[in-house]
Amino acid sequence: MDKIKMGISRCLLGENVRYDGGHQHDRYLTDTLGDYFEYTPVCPEVEYGLPIPREALRLIGKPDSARLVTIKTGIDHTDGMLKWAQGKLKELENEDLCGFVFKSKSPSSGMQSVKVYGPSGMPVHKGVGIFAGAFMSHFPILPAEEDGRLHDPALRENFIERVFVYKRWQELLKKGKTIKNLIDFHTNHKLLVMSHSPKHYSSLGKLVAASKGYGDDFFGDYIKTLMEGIRLLSTVKKHTNVLHHIMGYFKKQLSSDEKQELLEVIDEYHKQLIPLIVPMTLLTHYVRKYGEPYLKRQYYLHPHPIELMLRNHV
């Protein structure tokens, strides 16, 4: 697989573009994910035309209609930033991005919980950065996350998993928007979707079953429903359900001792005594040993490179 194209806040790459002339280099993003991601860096404030260093900005007003102003001089850059963002978003449409990593807490790039200052001068953590908000409105199904939230193992795996799913979706579109290609794609992702949302798993199944008479919106509705579903976090309970589902494919092949061992390993995972990688490794062994064709094609068993160790945490 070619490197995945990703948008990123420029300061996270170590570039000195922050208001104080510094950076916020995130080595996990550059040194680890950089082996798989090709970054398109964006710094809204600099590209909009502000200097380095510059007067700091903040959001003021109400969270749903906040204005972007300089802290000391009170210059309002909201309209100018939004106008610049319109052109930048058009430009990014041609980049084939599979996601974006934003700088947290930034009044231009924060994805959520950005400080918004009201008349009292006391902030509420309910704002969205001006550019980040415009980006997410323009690309509503594209995976987006903040650097700070990527320190959470569950949020990190969820984001990276969505990025790889969207990359495979892009490859499907390049191969051709045919019902056959979509059914293959859907079949390959069934267990992965089940691990996030049984509800969306059911909805996607009904959507695919009605594909022949669906109309022009079929592909758009499919990917919208898929990305909405896998945005929901997997849980120990949902994973345990899928693990038992996979085990059911081997009820004739496994000996009593092998079944007992597998049940014990799944139960230990369910009790959060061992990480997900342990039962997954054992099940993957049986998939290879017995050559179960449906399971061999499931991305649930290998949704992202094993080197990232995203399923190794308890």
Side-chain angles (χ1 to χ4, degrees):
M1 182 181 282
D2 295 334
K3 278 196 175 186
I4 299 173
K5 292 186 177 181
M6 295 287 293
I8 191 170
S9 292
R10 191 180 292 269
C11 61
L12 296 175
L13 298 179
E15 297 189 30
N16 296 315
V17 292
R18 284 173 58 80
Y19 75 95
D20 58 3
H23 61 75
Q24 287 286 313
H25 189 189
D26 188 313
R27 294 201 172 274
Y28 179 74
L29 292 170
T30 57
D31 299 355
T32 301
L33 294 184
D35 289 340
Y36 307 96
F37 292 172
E38 176 186 324
Y39 292 117
T40 297
V42 180
C43 178
E45 294 172 24
V46 172
E47 294 180 40
Y48 159 62
L50 299 177
I52 307 169
R54 57 188 172 275
E55 186 180 350
L57 296 159
R58 69 178 181 181
L59 297 178
I60 66 168
K62 296 180 180 179
D64 58 354
S65 58
R67 308 293 294 181
L68 181 69
V69 302
T70 52
I71 289 180
K72 293 180 181 178
T73 55
I75 299 171
D76 192 328
H77 289 286
T78 313
D79 295 338
M81 179 65 77
L82 287 171
K83 184 178 180 181
W84 167 83
Q86 285 181 345
K88 187 64 179 181
L89 294 171
K90 285 289 183 184
E91 182 184 312
L92 291 175
E93 287 177 4
N94 300 317
E95 292 292 330
D96 290 332
L97 298 181
C98 291
F100 203 108
V101 182
F102 290 103
K103 178 69 196 86
S104 60
K105 303 178 183 178
S106 163
S108 59
S109 296
M111 212 179 90
Q112 62 178 45
S113 303
V114 179
K115 288 181 182 178
V116 182
Y117 291 83
S120 68
M122 293 297 292
V124 293
H125 295 261
K126 295 182 178 180
V128 177
I130 298 297
F131 174 69
F135 182 94
M136 292 187 291
S137 294
H138 195 80
F139 300 107
I141 64 172
L142 215 57
E145 196 49 273
E146 296 184 323
D147 62 314
R149 283 165 50 93
L150 289 177
H151 295 148
D152 180 302
L155 296 176
R156 181 168 63 237
E157 183 188 3
N158 178 271
F159 174 65
I160 294 171
E161 190 171 287
R162 286 186 286 138
V163 167
F164 275 89
V165 169
Y166 198 79
K167 172 63 174 174
R168 292 191 287 270
W169 178 256
Q170 283 187 341
E171 291 172 345
L172 175 149
L173 296 180
K174 290 175 182 175
K175 199 190 316 184
K177 289 170 71 170
T178 67
I179 299 299
K180 180 186 180 302
N181 286 343
L182 189 134
I183 290 174
D184 285 345
F185 178 92
H186 175 70
T187 302
N188 295 344
H189 290 85
K190 275 187 173 182
L191 296 185
L192 188 146
V193 177
M194 186 189 291
S195 73
H196 287 271
S197 172
K199 175 186 171 185
H200 288 81
Y201 171 83
S202 176
S203 297
L204 288 166
K206 292 175 183 176
L207 194 61
V208 171
S211 59
K212 289 185 178 177
Y214 198 87
D216 295 339
D217 295 333
F218 176 61
F219 279 78
D221 287 351
Y222 179 89
I223 189 60
K224 180 181 177 182
T225 305
L226 173 64
M227 298 307 290
E228 181 184 89
I230 63 174
R231 188 174 182 177
L232 300 172
L233 291 180
S234 297
T235 62
V236 169
K237 182 180 179 181
K238 286 186 274 191
H239 276 305
T240 301
N241 177 50
V242 177
L243 294 173
H244 281 295
H245 183 81
I246 294 172
M247 183 180 173
Y249 282 84
F250 303 111
K251 55 189 175 186
K252 293 182 180 179
Q253 291 98 327
L254 300 184
S255 67
S256 295
D257 284 346
E258 287 172 327
K259 288 178 183 175
Q260 186 60 36
E261 179 192 28
L262 187 49
L263 284 170
E264 287 173 3
V265 168
I266 293 174
D267 185 56
E268 286 176 359
Y269 165 71
H270 187 246
K271 292 176 179 175
Q272 301 184 52
L273 300 174
I274 58 175
L276 179 59
I277 190 68
V278 179
M280 292 294 293
T281 300
L282 188 53
L283 283 168
T284 301
H285 164 70
Y286 289 133
V287 171
R288 288 176 178 168
K289 181 177 180 179
Y290 297 111
E292 216 304 315
Y294 173 72
L295 295 178
K296 282 172 75 174
R297 63 190 292 183
Q298 291 302 311
Y299 278 112
Y300 176 73
L301 296 173
H302 46 89
H304 32 61
I306 194 170
E307 292 81 3
L308 292 175
M309 297 186 290
L310 295 174
R311 288 177 162 176
N312 292 37
H313 61 276
V314 177

